[in-house]
Amino acid sequence: QVQLVESGGGLVQTGGSLRLSCAASGSTSMIKTMAWYRQTPGKQRVLVAGVNAGGSPNYEDFVEGRFTISRDNAKLYLQMNSLKPEDTARYYCNAELFDGSYYLGYFWGQGTQVTVSP
C-alpha cells in the first residue's frame, strides 16, 4: 500500500498560478502510474493529467497547455498556470501499483482545494 499526501492548493485570482505536490510513502517501488484528478461538489472525479512509469505525460483537453505534470520518484507535481474560475475543484493525487505485471490496485490522497476567484 501507499499513502499519498497532497499540498499546494489555495486561493488564487484568475490568471494566477499554483503548484500542487503529492508525496507518496509506503510501497513506492510498486507505483507505476501517477495522476492528478479533480472533483467539484456533486460531480464525478475527472482526470486532469497523468504520467506513466516511463515519465510520459498525458493531459485532458481542458488543460489546454496550461498545466504541466511532472514526477520525481515518489513525488508528483502539477504546475498550473493561467488558472480560470472553472479550475476550482478539489485536486486528488492517484497512484496505481503493480507487482511485476500483476495489478495491485489504486490509491488516493485526501485532496487539496484549489479556488480560483474571478
Side-chain angles (χ1 to χ4, degrees), residues 1-2 4-5 9 11 13 22 29 32 42 49 56 66 69 73 83-84 95 101 103 107-110 114:
Q1 292 199 356
V2 295
L4 303 172
V5 178
L11 174 64
Q13 292 184 333
C22 171
S29 62
K32 286 295 187 286
S56 296
R66 300 178 297 125
I69 190 170
N73 291 325
L83 283 162
K84 306 175 182 180
S101 60
Y103 183 62
F107 296 84
W108 295 103
Q110 293 298 308
V114 171

Side-chain angles (χ1 to χ4, degrees), residues 7-83:
S7 61
L11 174 64
V12 65
Q13 292 184 333
T14 296
S17 299
L18 284 173
R19 187 184 192 222
L20 306 184
S21 299
C22 171
S25 60
S27 302
T28 58
S29 62
M30 294 185 176
I31 295 175
K32 286 295 187 286
T33 63
M34 298 187 77
W36 288 100
Y37 286 71
R38 69 186 189 186
Q39 187 173 25
T40 54
K43 294 190 177 181
Q44 287 188 332
R45 198 169 295 186
V46 297
L47 177 67
V48 176
V51 58
N52 63 21
S56 296
N58 63 278
Y59 300 94
E60 291 300 291
D61 290 344
F62 60 77
V63 168
E64 300 174 325
R66 300 178 297 125
F67 298 176
T68 302
I69 190 170
S70 60
R71 180 177 172 181
D72 179 11
N73 291 325
K75 291 188 176 180
L76 185 70
Y77 304 97
L78 186 67
Q79 177 66 44
M80 304 189 295
N81 300 325
S82 303
L83 283 162

